[in-house]
Amino acid sequence: MLNNSTTPTINLLIVDDHAMFREGLARSLEKQSDLNIVGQVSSSTEALAVLDQSGATMVLLDVDLGSERAVDFVMAARRKGFDGQILIVTAGASDQEAVQLIQAGVSGILHKHHSTEILCGTIREIANGEVCLEKEYLGPLFRSVNRLRPPGRPKLAERERMVLRLILQGLTNRQIGERLEVGEGAIKSTLRQVFSKLGVRTRSQVVKVVLEQYRDQL
């Protein structure tokens, strides 16, 4: 479906080895005016082969790809220079797999049992720079963090720590603003300060740095 509004189009590449699910998902997402399916493949090998030419800005990736591992695709895509978002859409992932995927730089993990409406909302949030994780994976992620802290790390202000705590709970900027009773613009301003302090550019990068270096402050 063509997007006649001013909303940017999100170009999606679907990677899932279950043809019925993959094709059904593509049909459902194509009904959204701002979502464009640029390809659907059954393996990470196929996905890597078409990634550059597809024009994808986001990859919807299953964990279970037969003999291939989703984390290998993520790392290979980054080595190829793919700077779009990667959303894991899966029936389930082990704690170890989830941690590896998050550390490799995925922007979210979402279960397949959610409705198409929730999936579309998650896609849009991630396209807007959010990180969306099923809460069950936060515990393993926290436990995986190396607790050795580098010297000389920048100090975070209390407001910055409050915002980061809520980001780690999976809240969006709007939800954080509602929780702290401030405007969404104030949250974005706080995040810009955090990005500058930590030397990062994306929300997923800030989550990784915070978990590795600032968990003791939160």
PDB file of all heavy atoms in Angstrom, residues 143-164:
ATOM      1  N   ARG A 143      22.109  -9.994  34.540  1.00  0.00           N
ATOM      2  CA  ARG A 143      23.044 -10.931  35.166  1.00  0.00           C
ATOM      3  C   ARG A 143      24.277 -11.164  34.303  1.00  0.00           C
ATOM      4  O   ARG A 143      25.321 -11.578  34.813  1.00  0.00           O
ATOM      5  CB  ARG A 143      22.337 -12.266  35.422  1.00  0.00           C
ATOM      6  CG  ARG A 143      21.295 -12.190  36.525  1.00  0.00           C
ATOM      7  CD  ARG A 143      20.829 -13.574  36.939  1.00  0.00           C
ATOM      8  NE  ARG A 143      20.116 -14.285  35.885  1.00  0.00           N
ATOM      9  CZ  ARG A 143      18.809 -14.187  35.684  1.00  0.00           C
ATOM     10  NH1 ARG A 143      18.065 -13.396  36.450  1.00  0.00           N
ATOM     11  NH2 ARG A 143      18.228 -14.878  34.712  1.00  0.00           N
ATOM     12  N   SER A 144      24.158 -10.904  33.010  1.00  0.00           N
ATOM     13  CA  SER A 144      25.287 -11.140  32.104  1.00  0.00           C
ATOM     14  C   SER A 144      26.312 -10.022  32.107  1.00  0.00           C
ATOM     15  O   SER A 144      27.396 -10.166  31.556  1.00  0.00           O
ATOM     16  CB  SER A 144      24.773 -11.326  30.675  1.00  0.00           C
ATOM     17  OG  SER A 144      24.379 -10.080  30.118  1.00  0.00           O
ATOM     18  N   VAL A 145      25.951  -8.910  32.710  1.00  0.00           N
ATOM     19  CA  VAL A 145      26.803  -7.725  32.611  1.00  0.00           C
ATOM     20  C   VAL A 145      28.115  -7.918  33.381  1.00  0.00           C
ATOM     21  O   VAL A 145      28.126  -8.388  34.511  1.00  0.00           O
ATOM     22  CB  VAL A 145      26.046  -6.488  33.163  1.00  0.00           C
ATOM     23  CG1 VAL A 145      26.969  -5.291  33.232  1.00  0.00           C
ATOM     24  CG2 VAL A 145      24.855  -6.180  32.270  1.00  0.00           C
ATOM     25  N   ASN A 146      29.183  -7.556  32.750  1.00  0.00           N
ATOM     26  CA  ASN A 146      30.484  -7.556  33.413  1.00  0.00           C
ATOM     27  C   ASN A 146      30.506  -6.408  34.420  1.00  0.00           C
ATOM     28  O   ASN A 146      30.355  -5.251  34.065  1.00  0.00           O
ATOM     29  CB  ASN A 146      31.591  -7.356  32.365  1.00  0.00           C
ATOM     30  CG  ASN A 146      32.967  -7.426  32.967  1.00  0.00           C
ATOM     31  OD1 ASN A 146      33.141  -7.395  34.181  1.00  0.00           O
ATOM     32  ND2 ASN A 146      33.962  -7.524  32.099  1.00  0.00           N
ATOM     33  N   ARG A 147      30.723  -6.726  35.671  1.00  0.00           N
ATOM     34  CA  ARG A 147      30.621  -5.713  36.711  1.00  0.00           C
ATOM     35  C   ARG A 147      31.917  -4.945  36.947  1.00  0.00           C
ATOM     36  O   ARG A 147      32.006  -4.135  37.881  1.00  0.00           O
ATOM     37  CB  ARG A 147      30.142  -6.359  38.019  1.00  0.00           C
ATOM     38  CG  ARG A 147      28.749  -6.947  37.866  1.00  0.00           C
ATOM     39  CD  ARG A 147      28.180  -7.447  39.171  1.00  0.00           C
ATOM     40  NE  ARG A 147      26.837  -7.941  38.985  1.00  0.00           N
ATOM     41  CZ  ARG A 147      25.742  -7.199  38.916  1.00  0.00           C
ATOM     42  NH1 ARG A 147      25.842  -5.886  39.016  1.00  0.00           N
ATOM     43  NH2 ARG A 147      24.555  -7.735  38.733  1.00  0.00           N
ATOM     44  N   LEU A 148      32.930  -5.194  36.157  1.00  0.00           N
ATOM     45  CA  LEU A 148      34.143  -4.386  36.243  1.00  0.00           C
ATOM     46  C   LEU A 148      33.876  -3.039  35.587  1.00  0.00           C
ATOM     47  O   LEU A 148      33.487  -2.958  34.436  1.00  0.00           O
ATOM     48  CB  LEU A 148      35.309  -5.081  35.532  1.00  0.00           C
ATOM     49  CG  LEU A 148      35.785  -6.381  36.182  1.00  0.00           C
ATOM     50  CD1 LEU A 148      36.870  -7.007  35.332  1.00  0.00           C
ATOM     51  CD2 LEU A 148      36.268  -6.132  37.605  1.00  0.00           C
ATOM     52  N   ARG A 149      34.093  -1.961  36.310  1.00  0.00           N
ATOM     53  CA  ARG A 149      33.769  -0.625  35.799  1.00  0.00           C
ATOM     54  C   ARG A 149      35.035   0.104  35.375  1.00  0.00           C
ATOM     55  O   ARG A 149      35.998   0.167  36.136  1.00  0.00           O
ATOM     56  CB  ARG A 149      33.070   0.206  36.889  1.00  0.00           C
ATOM     57  CG  ARG A 149      31.949  -0.534  37.591  1.00  0.00           C
ATOM     58  CD  ARG A 149      30.840  -0.914  36.651  1.00  0.00           C
ATOM     59  NE  ARG A 149      29.832  -1.726  37.325  1.00  0.00           N
ATOM     60  CZ  ARG A 149      28.806  -2.266  36.721  1.00  0.00           C
ATOM     61  NH1 ARG A 149      28.639  -2.119  35.449  1.00  0.00           N
ATOM     62  NH2 ARG A 149      27.942  -2.995  37.404  1.00  0.00           N
ATOM     63  N   PRO A 150      35.056   0.679  34.192  1.00  0.00           N
ATOM     64  CA  PRO A 150      36.237   1.428  33.773  1.00  0.00           C
ATOM     65  C   PRO A 150      36.384   2.705  34.581  1.00  0.00           C
ATOM     66  O   PRO A 150      35.390   3.312  34.976  1.00  0.00           O
ATOM     67  CB  PRO A 150      35.934   1.747  32.300  1.00  0.00           C
ATOM     68  CG  PRO A 150      34.447   1.708  32.192  1.00  0.00           C
ATOM     69  CD  PRO A 150      33.993   0.675  33.188  1.00  0.00           C
ATOM     70  N   PRO A 151      37.628   3.138  34.843  1.00  0.00           N
ATOM     71  CA  PRO A 151      37.849   4.368  35.596  1.00  0.00           C
ATOM     72  C   PRO A 151      37.475   5.589  34.774  1.00  0.00           C
ATOM     73  O   PRO A 151      37.496   5.569  33.539  1.00  0.00           O
ATOM     74  CB  PRO A 151      39.351   4.337  35.889  1.00  0.00           C
ATOM     75  CG  PRO A 151      39.923   3.537  34.754  1.00  0.00           C
ATOM     76  CD  PRO A 151      38.884   2.490  34.432  1.00  0.00           C
ATOM     77  N   GLY A 152      37.146   6.664  35.456  1.00  0.00           N
ATOM     78  CA  GLY A 152      36.918   7.935  34.788  1.00  0.00           C
ATOM     79  C   GLY A 152      35.628   8.020  34.003  1.00  0.00           C
ATOM     80  O   GLY A 152      35.486   8.882  33.145  1.00  0.00           O
ATOM     81  N   ARG A 153      34.661   7.166  34.279  1.00  0.00           N
ATOM     82  CA  ARG A 153      33.409   7.242  33.537  1.00  0.00           C
ATOM     83  C   ARG A 153      32.642   8.498  33.939  1.00  0.00           C
ATOM     84  O   ARG A 153      32.646   8.902  35.112  1.00  0.00           O
ATOM     85  CB  ARG A 153      32.561   5.996  33.790  1.00  0.00           C
ATOM     86  CG  ARG A 153      32.350   5.709  35.241  1.00  0.00           C
ATOM     87  CD  ARG A 153      31.601   4.418  35.468  1.00  0.00           C
ATOM     88  NE  ARG A 153      31.607   4.097  36.898  1.00  0.00           N
ATOM     89  CZ  ARG A 153      30.680   3.416  37.515  1.00  0.00           C
ATOM     90  NH1 ARG A 153      29.646   2.989  36.866  1.00  0.00           N
ATOM     91  NH2 ARG A 153      30.764   3.162  38.792  1.00  0.00           N
ATOM     92  N   PRO A 154      31.932   9.136  33.001  1.00  0.00           N
ATOM     93  CA  PRO A 154      31.170  10.347  33.333  1.00  0.00           C
ATOM     94  C   PRO A 154      30.111  10.064  34.396  1.00  0.00           C
ATOM     95  O   PRO A 154      29.520   8.977  34.424  1.00  0.00           O
ATOM     96  CB  PRO A 154      30.527  10.719  31.988  1.00  0.00           C
ATOM     97  CG  PRO A 154      31.374  10.064  30.961  1.00  0.00           C
ATOM     98  CD  PRO A 154      31.865   8.798  31.581  1.00  0.00           C
ATOM     99  N   LYS A 155      29.853  11.036  35.221  1.00  0.00           N
ATOM    100  CA  LYS A 155      28.849  10.890  36.273  1.00  0.00           C
ATOM    101  C   LYS A 155      27.477  11.255  35.733  1.00  0.00           C
ATOM    102  O   LYS A 155      27.301  12.243  35.029  1.00  0.00           O
ATOM    103  CB  LYS A 155      29.197  11.792  37.463  1.00  0.00           C
ATOM    104  CG  LYS A 155      28.273  11.599  38.659  1.00  0.00           C
ATOM    105  CD  LYS A 155      28.724  12.456  39.832  1.00  0.00           C
ATOM    106  CE  LYS A 155      27.799  12.256  41.039  1.00  0.00           C
ATOM    107  NZ  LYS A 155      28.228  13.082  42.184  1.00  0.00           N
ATOM    108  N   LEU A 156      26.485  10.440  36.055  1.00  0.00           N
ATOM    109  CA  LEU A 156      25.119  10.690  35.607  1.00  0.00           C
ATOM    110  C   LEU A 156      24.334  11.455  36.660  1.00  0.00           C
ATOM    111  O   LEU A 156      24.426  11.151  37.862  1.00  0.00           O
ATOM    112  CB  LEU A 156      24.409   9.368  35.313  1.00  0.00           C
ATOM    113  CG  LEU A 156      25.008   8.512  34.189  1.00  0.00           C
ATOM    114  CD1 LEU A 156      24.291   7.177  34.111  1.00  0.00           C
ATOM    115  CD2 LEU A 156      24.933   9.232  32.854  1.00  0.00           C
ATOM    116  N   ALA A 157      23.563  12.449  36.202  1.00  0.00           N
ATOM    117  CA  ALA A 157      22.702  13.201  37.110  1.00  0.00           C
ATOM    118  C   ALA A 157      21.504  12.340  37.511  1.00  0.00           C
ATOM    119  O   ALA A 157      21.179  11.353  36.852  1.00  0.00           O
ATOM    120  CB  ALA A 157      22.222  14.482  36.425  1.00  0.00           C
ATOM    121  N   GLU A 158      20.827  12.724  38.594  1.00  0.00           N
ATOM    122  CA  GLU A 158      19.705  11.937  39.094  1.00  0.00           C
ATOM    123  C   GLU A 158      18.605  11.811  38.048  1.00  0.00           C
ATOM    124  O   GLU A 158      18.041  10.733  37.853  1.00  0.00           O
ATOM    125  CB  GLU A 158      19.142  12.570  40.369  1.00  0.00           C
ATOM    126  CG  GLU A 158      17.902  11.847  40.921  1.00  0.00           C
ATOM    127  CD  GLU A 158      18.161  10.375  41.241  1.00  0.00           C
ATOM    128  OE1 GLU A 158      19.308  10.008  41.532  1.00  0.00           O
ATOM    129  OE2 GLU A 158      17.193   9.587  41.187  1.00  0.00           O
ATOM    130  N   ARG A 159      18.263  12.904  37.351  1.00  0.00           N
ATOM    131  CA  ARG A 159      17.232  12.831  36.321  1.00  0.00           C
ATOM    132  C   ARG A 159      17.655  11.873  35.212  1.00  0.00           C
ATOM    133  O   ARG A 159      16.840  11.114  34.684  1.00  0.00           O
ATOM    134  CB  ARG A 159      16.937  14.231  35.761  1.00  0.00           C
ATOM    135  CG  ARG A 159      16.000  14.270  34.537  1.00  0.00           C
ATOM    136  CD  ARG A 159      14.680  13.527  34.763  1.00  0.00           C
ATOM    137  NE  ARG A 159      13.885  14.116  35.793  1.00  0.00           N
ATOM    138  CZ  ARG A 159      13.001  15.100  35.614  1.00  0.00           C
ATOM    139  NH1 ARG A 159      12.816  15.604  34.414  1.00  0.00           N
ATOM    140  NH2 ARG A 159      12.298  15.567  36.625  1.00  0.00           N
ATOM    141  N   GLU A 160      18.918  11.910  34.843  1.00  0.00           N
ATOM    142  CA  GLU A 160      19.407  11.008  33.806  1.00  0.00           C
ATOM    143  C   GLU A 160      19.288   9.550  34.254  1.00  0.00           C
ATOM    144  O   GLU A 160      18.885   8.681  33.472  1.00  0.00           O
ATOM    145  CB  GLU A 160      20.862  11.349  33.476  1.00  0.00           C
ATOM    146  CG  GLU A 160      21.020  12.705  32.801  1.00  0.00           C
ATOM    147  CD  GLU A 160      22.459  13.172  32.719  1.00  0.00           C
ATOM    148  OE1 GLU A 160      23.310  12.607  33.438  1.00  0.00           O
ATOM    149  OE2 GLU A 160      22.736  14.099  31.942  1.00  0.00           O
ATOM    150  N   ARG A 161      19.606   9.287  35.510  1.00  0.00           N
ATOM    151  CA  ARG A 161      19.488   7.921  36.026  1.00  0.00           C
ATOM    152  C   ARG A 161      18.028   7.476  36.057  1.00  0.00           C
ATOM    153  O   ARG A 161      17.711   6.324  35.747  1.00  0.00           O
ATOM    154  CB  ARG A 161      20.109   7.828  37.429  1.00  0.00           C
ATOM    155  CG  ARG A 161      21.622   7.992  37.447  1.00  0.00           C
ATOM    156  CD  ARG A 161      22.225   7.474  38.741  1.00  0.00           C
ATOM    157  NE  ARG A 161      21.759   8.207  39.897  1.00  0.00           N
ATOM    158  CZ  ARG A 161      22.347   9.301  40.390  1.00  0.00           C
ATOM    159  NH1 ARG A 161      23.445   9.776  39.805  1.00  0.00           N
ATOM    160  NH2 ARG A 161      21.876   9.909  41.458  1.00  0.00           N
ATOM    161  N   MET A 162      17.117   8.390  36.423  1.00  0.00           N
ATOM    162  CA  MET A 162      15.695   8.058  36.450  1.00  0.00           C
ATOM    163  C   MET A 162      15.208   7.676  35.057  1.00  0.00           C
ATOM    164  O   MET A 162      14.489   6.679  34.877  1.00  0.00           O
ATOM    165  CB  MET A 162      14.890   9.247  36.986  1.00  0.00           C
ATOM    166  CG  MET A 162      15.124   9.544  38.466  1.00  0.00           C
ATOM    167  SD  MET A 162      14.371  11.124  38.971  1.00  0.00           S
ATOM    168  CE  MET A 162      12.645  10.768  38.700  1.00  0.00           C
ATOM    169  N   VAL A 163      15.596   8.452  34.047  1.00  0.00           N
ATOM    170  CA  VAL A 163      15.182   8.174  32.670  1.00  0.00           C
ATOM    171  C   VAL A 163      15.755   6.843  32.203  1.00  0.00           C
ATOM    172  O   VAL A 163      15.055   6.024  31.579  1.00  0.00           O
ATOM    173  CB  VAL A 163      15.623   9.315  31.733  1.00  0.00           C
ATOM    174  CG1 VAL A 163      15.421   8.932  30.260  1.00  0.00           C
ATOM    175  CG2 VAL A 163      14.838  10.592  32.046  1.00  0.00           C
ATOM    176  N   LEU A 164      17.005   6.571  32.537  1.00  0.00           N
ATOM    177  CA  LEU A 164      17.637   5.323  32.111  1.00  0.00           C
ATOM    178  C   LEU A 164      16.991   4.111  32.773  1.00  0.00           C
ATOM    179  O   LEU A 164      16.840   3.061  32.145  1.00  0.00           O
ATOM    180  CB  LEU A 164      19.134   5.361  32.425  1.00  0.00           C
ATOM    181  CG  LEU A 164      19.951   6.316  31.545  1.00  0.00           C
ATOM    182  CD1 LEU A 164      21.367   6.446  32.072  1.00  0.00           C
ATOM    183  CD2 LEU A 164      19.962   5.840  30.103  1.00  0.00           C
TER     184      LEU A 164
END
